[in-house]
Amino acid sequence: MKNQLRSFLLGFSSFLLVWWWLSVITDNRSLPSPFPTFKRMWELKDVLFLHAGASLMRIFVALTIAVLVGLPAGILLGKYSKANQLFGPLLYFLYPLPKVAFLPIFMIFFGLGNLSKILLIFSVISIQVIVSIRDGVNEIPESYYQVMDNYSTKIWPSVRFLIFPALIPSLIASLRVSVGISLASLFFAENYNTTYGLGYLILSAWSKMDYEQMLSGILMIAWIGFFVFTVLDELERRFCRYR
Amino acid sequence: MHIELEKVGFGYNKESIFEQLDFTFDKGRSYVILGESGIGKSTLLALLKGFQQPLTGRVYYHQTTSKKVEMVFQDLRLFPWQTVYQALEMPLKIKKVDKVKRKAMIEALMNELEIHKFKDTYPAKLSGGQKQRVAMARGLITDPDFLLLDEPTSSLDQETKEKTQEYILSEQSNRGNGLVIVTHDIEEAAFLGETIIIMRNQGFQVYQNPVFHLENRRESLAFYEFVLQLRKMLKGEAE
C-alpha cells in the first residue's frame, strides 16, 4: 500500500507539473492552471462526487457482468475445441469492431437510461475478457489435468482447483486493459441523454466555458482509473502471491 | 488387494511397445520397473492408474479401484499457486474430508516427511528434494492402496536421492500400500524394489531382490554385486 501511495503521489505530482507548465506556456483560459481548478473542485465537491458515483457505478456493474459472462464463456471456448471452432470466428469478427458505434442501437433497444450505457461498456469489455480467458485456459499445461484426474474426473474440481487459480493473472491483466477502454467508452456514452456522469459533466462545462469545472471532471476520471487499477493491483497481490 | 495385468498389450501408431504381459501387483509390496528409456515403463504406470487403456488384454483391480491408485509424476506437476499445505489439502477437499480431520491428516504427513516448516511455501521456493517429498505427500494423503512413482529421484543429487529413497520406503512400510516405481537407475532399483521387473524385448523378466531385507544394504558388498548382476540382466548378458 505504501508503494501504491508513493506511485500515486509521484504520478500525480508529475502530472500537475506538466499541466502547470502547459497552462503557463499556452496562456489560454481553456487550460487553467491546477490551482484555480482545485479551488473550483472544492466548490463543486458534492456535485462532482455525484457524477463520479454515477460513472463508477456504471463501470462497476459493467465490469461485474463482463466477468460473470466472460469467465465461463472463455473457459468453455478454451476447454472445448468444438465451441471454439463454432464461436471463435464470431469473436474475431466482433473483437476489432468499435463497439461504441452501437450506442444508437443499444439506446433504441434498451432505452435512454443506465441500461444502454452499461450494456455498451459491457460489450466493450466482455469480448476482451472472453479472449483473454480462453487464451489463459489454453496455456494451462495439459499434464495438470492429469493430476486432477488422479482425484476426480468431474469438471468442477478441475475448475475450482486448477482452471480458476490458473486464470486469475489473465483475468486481472484483461481487466486492466478493459478499464482504460471502458472509461473512454463511458465518456462517449455519457454524452447522450443523461444528466449524471463525468462525461456529461465535462461536456456541459465545456459548453458553459467553465474550464475549471471541465478539468475537474477530467481529473475525477483519472482518479477513478487510478482507484480501479489500485483495486486490481491489490487483488493480484492477494491472489497471486506465488508470482 | 492387487492389480492384475492379463495378457496386456500396448503400442503407438500400430507399433507394439509390449504385448501379452501377465503380472500381479500385490498391496504391501514394492515393485521396481527397470528398463531403458522409451521402452514403455511410464506407459505401464499409466495403464495401472487407468489413464490409458490397454490395446489388448485387461487390467483388473481386485478389492481396490483405480481411484485408490495414486500417481506421482516424473515432472511432479505441483501447481505453482498452491502452498505445500494447499497442495495436500486439495485431494482431501475433493474427497470431501471434513476440515478438522483434513488438518490432522495433513499435519501428520507433513511431520513424517519433514516438510512441515514449508507448509506455507510455494513450489518455486522449494528445493528439488523438498518438491519431490511434497509431490509424494500429495499422492499419499488420500491413503491409496497403490502409489505409483515415475522416476522419483531422477533430478536429484546423490545425497538427496538417497534420503528421498529412504522416505519412500519408510512411508511404504508405515502405511502398507503397494509401491510401483519406474526408474532407469539400477542402484535405485536394487534399493527400492522387493521385486524387480526388467522390461526388455516387449516383455517382462521378474526377479526377487535378494538384498532387499538387508539392514544398511548400501554398505554391503552383496548389494553392489546385485547391482552388477542387474546391470548385466538389463543388457541381456545374464539371466
Side-chain angles (χ1 to χ4, degrees), chain A residues 39-88:
Chain A
K39 198 173 156 230
R40 185 88 177 104
M41 268 184 110
W42 183 252
E43 289 163 12
L44 289 169
K45 59 183 182 302
D46 295 338
V47 182
L48 271 177
F49 276 115
L50 211 61
H51 286 287
S55 295
L56 201 58
M57 182 274 289
R58 285 170 188 144
I59 286 192
F60 180 75
V61 174
L63 274 176
T64 309
I65 306 172
V67 170
L68 290 177
V69 173
L71 198 60
I75 292 174
L76 196 77
L77 295 186
K79 195 84 182 71
Y80 301 102
S81 56
K82 280 198 175 152
N84 193 37
Q85 280 164 8
L86 201 63
F87 295 108

Side-chain angles (χ1 to χ4, degrees), chain B residues 17-106:
Chain B
I17 302 178
F18 45 75
E19 49 195 36
Q20 299 284 319
L21 291 185
D22 287 305
F23 195 75
T24 301
F25 295 91
D26 291 315
K27 189 182 172 186
R29 287 180 67 86
S30 77
Y31 301 85
V32 170
I33 301 167
L34 192 61
E36 287 166 0
S37 301
I39 202 127
K41 304 187 297 287
S42 300
T43 305
L44 188 65
L45 284 193
L47 289 174
L48 288 175
K49 169 61 195 168
F51 283 150
Q52 282 177 311
Q53 296 305 313
L55 293 182
T56 56
R58 280 195 68 177
V59 178
Y60 293 102
Y61 298 92
H62 295 277
Q63 294 168 289
T64 185
T65 69
S66 65
K67 287 181 182 167
K68 294 286 282 174
V69 178
E70 294 288 354
M71 176 107 155
V72 178
F73 302 91
Q74 183 177 3
D75 54 359
L76 306 179
R77 303 179 191 179
L78 296 171
F79 297 160
W81 52 85
Q82 286 181 334
T83 62
V84 170
Y85 191 91
Q86 288 165 340
L88 302 192
E89 198 177 28
M90 177 183 73
L92 298 177
K93 276 185 172 172
I94 293 171
K95 292 187 187 294
K96 298 191 181 352
V97 177
D98 74 73
K99 198 177 174 184
V100 177
K101 200 173 167 198
R102 236 166 37 212
K103 190 166 186 283
M105 289 167 80
I106 295 168

Side-chain angles (χ1 to χ4, degrees), chain A residues 154-170:
Chain A
K154 291 178 183 152
I155 183 73
W156 176 242
S158 291
V159 171
R160 180 180 170 195
F161 293 104
L162 172 58
I163 298 174
F164 271 165
L167 287 180
I168 289 174
S170 313

Side-chain angles (χ1 to χ4, degrees), chain A residues 173-187:
Chain A
S174 76
L175 288 180
R176 262 201 204 104
V177 176
S178 304
V179 166
I181 314 168
S182 62
L183 282 169
S185 318
L186 185 79
F187 177 75

